[in-house]
Amino acid sequence: MGLFSRKQKIDMSTLPNCVAFIVDGNGRWAKKRGMPRMMGHSAGIDAVKLTIDNAEKLGIKEVLFYCFSTENWNRPKKEVDGLFELFRKFINKEADNYLKRDFRLVLLGERSKIPSDIMEKVEEIEEKTKNCTKMKIGLCINYGGRLDIITATNKLLQEGKKCVTEEEFSKYLFSCDFSDPDLIVRTSGEKRISNFMLYQMAYSEFYFTDTYWPDFDQRELEKAICNFQKRNRRFGAIKE
Ligand code: IPE
Ligand code: IPE
Ligand code: MG
């Protein structure tokens, strides 16, 4: 009891710059409550909004949400359509006031398979918010780590490049506007990457929690950050 009620102490001087969330467990959250899976996804969108607010309060500069993977097309059409309907609503309602909040919004993923009305709106918001500096928000939709690497490679080949540096290569990835994630959080108890940020995670710290994504609140975010702050990041060197 004492342990749980103790307030987490976050060191504001060593916040992670970029935090990425693999937002898993919406379906199980709904099932546990005897609800249809879509209710879980809807609650999941609310948790994304809440996490954006909480990250802003802490002063985190970059957040990424893995919302739909290249493999998620294998789900039943009804669920896929339902998810895109939720993304559509989110983009149309929520993201519109990002300019006012000084948030930059970027979509990371292969865009041609995403419904065109959603992409039109996303591109409009990306353009409007391109100079916003308070926080960068990346929505990873139709994102796959392997697809990211292959798409970048093909772009480089089309440009006739024969040889590139790591720095140049990073500029061709979907994540070109973001730093490599310092911290990757996965909810729902699964301990796998599911094709997320394969290149960018070279030195990311991982935090796994059994909490289902719709229950990921301020306390959960603080727990993840506190845990991150206890790590000794050596980057291959030797540190005390
Ligand atoms: C995460 O929740 C949302 C997406 C992958 C789109 P899931 O839908 O994967 O939820 P579980 O894993 O079935 O509980
Ligand atoms: C990972 O969740 C992808 C997203 C959160 C978008 P999944 O639920 O699709 O992953 P697996 O199938 O359990 O690996
Ligand atoms: Mg899942």
Side-chain angles (χ1 to χ4, degrees):
M1 178 67 195
L3 252 184
F4 285 103
S5 58
R6 195 183 299 155
K7 191 144 174 41
Q8 320 265 340
K9 212 155 171 48
I10 294 178
D11 176 357
M12 299 309 271
S13 68
T14 58
L15 284 175
N17 182 63
C18 178
V19 184
F21 299 92
I22 302 177
V23 305
D24 200 12
N26 295 348
R28 280 163 282 168
W29 180 92
K31 194 175 176 201
K32 205 174 92 184
R33 286 164 177 74
M35 294 170 169
R37 288 179 61 85
M38 278 321 296
M39 300 278 276
H41 293 314
S42 176
I45 292 278
D46 291 340
V48 169
K49 291 183 206 161
L50 183 68
T51 301
I52 290 171
D53 296 347
N54 291 331
E56 181 193 18
K57 278 190 218 153
L58 285 173
I60 294 169
K61 299 306 285 180
E62 303 181 20
V63 286
L64 294 163
F65 296 96
Y66 194 17
C67 301
F68 192 91
S69 73
T70 46
E71 289 73 35
N72 287 147
W73 294 106
N74 295 325
R75 296 191 179 196
K77 187 179 183 304
K78 219 174 132 213
E79 178 159 340
V80 171
D81 289 348
L83 279 164
F84 278 96
E85 190 49 40
L86 285 174
F87 300 149
R88 180 177 284 112
K89 273 198 204 134
F90 175 83
I91 292 298
N92 281 304
K93 281 209 191 120
E94 224 22 56
D96 239 358
N97 60 40
Y98 282 0
L99 184 61
K100 272 184 250 150
R101 295 175 75 181
D102 198 22
F103 292 167
R104 179 170 175 197
L105 183 93
V106 181
L107 184 136
L108 289 75
E110 209 286 299
R111 299 179 174 217
S112 65
K113 270 179 98 176
I114 299 174
S116 58
D117 66 303
I118 298 181
M119 275 324 304
E120 270 168 36
K121 189 73 191 172
V122 166
E123 281 166 9
E124 181 194 316
I125 297 162
E126 284 180 330
E127 178 59 27
K128 268 198 218 160
T129 64
K130 68 174 184 223
N131 297 317
C132 293
T133 56
K134 188 156 195 204
M135 185 162 69
K136 264 187 255 180
I137 302 166
L139 298 180
C140 306
I141 299 179
N142 194 21
Y143 180 87
R146 287 184 173 178
L147 180 71
D148 199 357
I149 294 165
I150 293 295
T151 307
T153 307
N154 285 333
K155 269 191 233 157
L156 284 159
L157 290 173
Q158 275 155 19
E159 289 180 17
K161 293 249 174 28
K162 296 256 173 357
C163 182
V164 282
T165 62
E166 289 183 11
E167 283 69 28
E168 278 175 290
F169 190 74
S170 295
K171 291 192 193 116
Y172 285 79
L173 293 167
F174 293 134
S175 58
C176 57
D177 298 304
F178 291 79
S179 352
D180 288 345
D182 296 293
L183 171 63
I184 298 180
V185 173
R186 184 171 187 147
T187 54
S188 90
E190 307 298 354
K191 291 173 187 71
R192 56 175 169 261
I193 289 312
S194 304
N195 202 10
F196 187 54
M197 298 273 150
L198 299 179
Y199 183 84
Q200 297 88 332
M201 65 166 58
Y203 270 101
S204 301
E205 296 292 330
F206 293 94
Y207 177 81
F208 297 103
T209 171
D210 288 342
T211 303
Y212 293 142
W213 176 251
D215 291 328
F216 195 87
D217 58 9
Q218 183 170 356
R219 204 185 116 80
E220 294 288 337
L221 178 64
E222 289 177 358
K223 258 187 351 199
I225 306 283
C226 279
N227 192 291
F228 166 82
Q229 291 184 326
K230 290 191 196 112
R231 315 274 177 98
N232 185 356
R233 300 183 84 193
R234 286 184 287 271
F235 301 100
I238 297 168
K239 274 193 199 167
E240 281 307 299

